[in-house]
Amino acid sequence: MSGFGATVAIGVTIFVVFIATIIICFTCSCCCLYKMCCPQRPVVTNTTTTTVVHAPYPQPQPQPVAPSYPGP
């Protein structure tokens, strides 16, 4: 009878490992079952590039020089 119990335990263990492998394979994106069952998402390849050109900051016009005051 002990041989029957060991056989059942091995069978249950193999079944659980098989089910776990299937579940993991359906959730892993690198697995072929996942690629077969899940729809592929389109790859977006168009990109836009924005170029920012900085214009020089306008400099203020020089102020006229105030007349010099006579010394003492």
Side-chain angles (χ1 to χ4, degrees):
M1 277 298 191
S2 66
F4 179 73
T7 304
V8 170
I10 290 173
V12 169
T13 303
I14 290 174
F15 180 73
V16 168
V17 168
F18 177 74
I19 296 299
T21 303
I22 295 297
I23 291 172
I24 290 171
C25 198
F26 274 114
T27 58
C28 181
S29 63
C30 61
C31 185
C32 58
L33 289 176
Y34 179 87
K35 291 177 183 176
M36 243 182 354
C37 295
C38 293
Q40 295 292 324
R41 294 187 180 122
V43 178
V44 178
T45 58
N46 57 354
T47 58
T48 57
T49 304
T50 303
T51 305
V52 178
V53 179
H54 294 283
Y57 188 77
Q59 298 294 323
Q61 295 295 329
Q63 298 295 329
V65 178
S68 61
Y69 295 101

